[in-house]
Amino acid sequence: MLADTLGLGPLGADAKTHDGRVLSHLHAVAAQNDSPYGLLAQTGRYGPKANSADNAVWMMGPPNWASLALRRGLEPPTALAVARKALDWWRVGLRDTWNIAALVGGVGYGADGLPHANSHYGYHLVAWHIVFALSGQSYDAPTRALAFAPVLPAPYALPVLVPNTAAQLRARADGVHVLRVLAGAPLALDALSVRGSAPKPGELPRTLAPGQSVAWGGPAVVVE
C-alpha cells in the first residue's frame, strides 16, 4: 500500500504477475475472513478460545484492503464497501468515532463487535490512502509534476493533497478537468495531466495560489 501511494510500483522481481496475485489474495481474505464488523485479521491459527488476537478486526485491515484493491482494478463500490463496513460499525453500531480502538472483537470468544485493545488509536487513519487510490495521484516535487489516474468515471470531485497544499481535482461530464487550489501554500506546476490529458502548451508552468485554478480539455473550457 505504501509503495502504491509513493509511486514505487510493484516490489520484487515478479512485477508482471504482482497485481493479479495481490488481487487474488484479497478476494481469498474477503471470502474467508468477513464478519459483521469488518474483515478479521487472523483466523484459524489456534481456535477462537485460545488467542483473543485471532478472530479480531484490526482497524488497519479493511481500509488497506480497499486501497490495494482499488489500485488493482476492482470496482470502486466493491472495494469501498469493505472499508465502509468496518468504519460504519464505529459510526452507526458503536457510535463512538471519538475513541476508535486498534482492535474490535470479532466472533466466537465473547467480545463480539466490542472495542478490544488500544483505545484512541490511529490504525483506521490508513483510510487516507484510499484518497490517493481513488485519484491515482502521483506528485514529483523536484520536477513540479502532478499526474492523476482516477478510478472513477466523470463527473467527480476528488481531494488533492501535496506537502503544504490542499486542492481539488474535478472532472465534468463534458471532458473538462479543473484543478483548484483550496488552501495552504501556492502550488507551482511545470507539468499536469489526468490520464495523459494535459493543459495546452503555454498554460504551464504556473503557480496557483489558494482560490486559483487551471482548466483544460472538453469542447469549451469554462471554469465555474
Side-chain angles (χ1 to χ4, degrees), residues 13-157:
D14 60 343
K16 292 184 178 179
T17 60
H18 177 272
D19 283 352
R21 292 171 65 187
V22 171
L23 194 57
S24 176
H25 174 75
L26 294 176
H27 284 309
V29 169
Q32 180 171 323
N33 287 22
D34 192 21
S35 84
Y37 322 110
L39 290 181
L40 305 176
Q42 300 169 147
T43 58
R45 297 193 310 162
Y46 309 113
K49 299 295 184 182
N51 188 328
S52 61
D54 277 9
N55 304 312
V57 180
W58 293 55
M59 287 302 294
M60 293 176 72
N64 284 358
W65 194 103
S67 295
L68 290 166
L70 286 168
R71 294 280 189 176
R72 281 149 192 89
L74 192 65
E75 301 85 354
T78 302
L80 294 174
V82 171
R84 183 179 295 115
K85 187 174 190 178
L87 296 171
D88 275 355
W89 177 242
W90 285 92
R91 297 175 181 135
V92 181
L94 298 173
R95 299 185 182 183
D96 190 11
T97 54
W98 175 75
N99 182 18
I100 296 180
L103 278 71
V104 174
V107 293
Y109 61 86
D112 299 25
L114 299 179
H116 182 60
N118 297 348
S119 64
H120 292 93
Y121 220 66
Y123 274 178
H124 65 292
L125 295 179
V126 295
W128 277 105
H129 289 272
I130 294 175
V131 172
F132 300 107
L134 287 170
S135 68
Q137 175 182 316
S138 175
Y139 178 58
D140 185 36
T143 62
R144 308 200 307 182
L146 186 57
F148 300 94
V151 299
L152 298 173
Y156 57 75

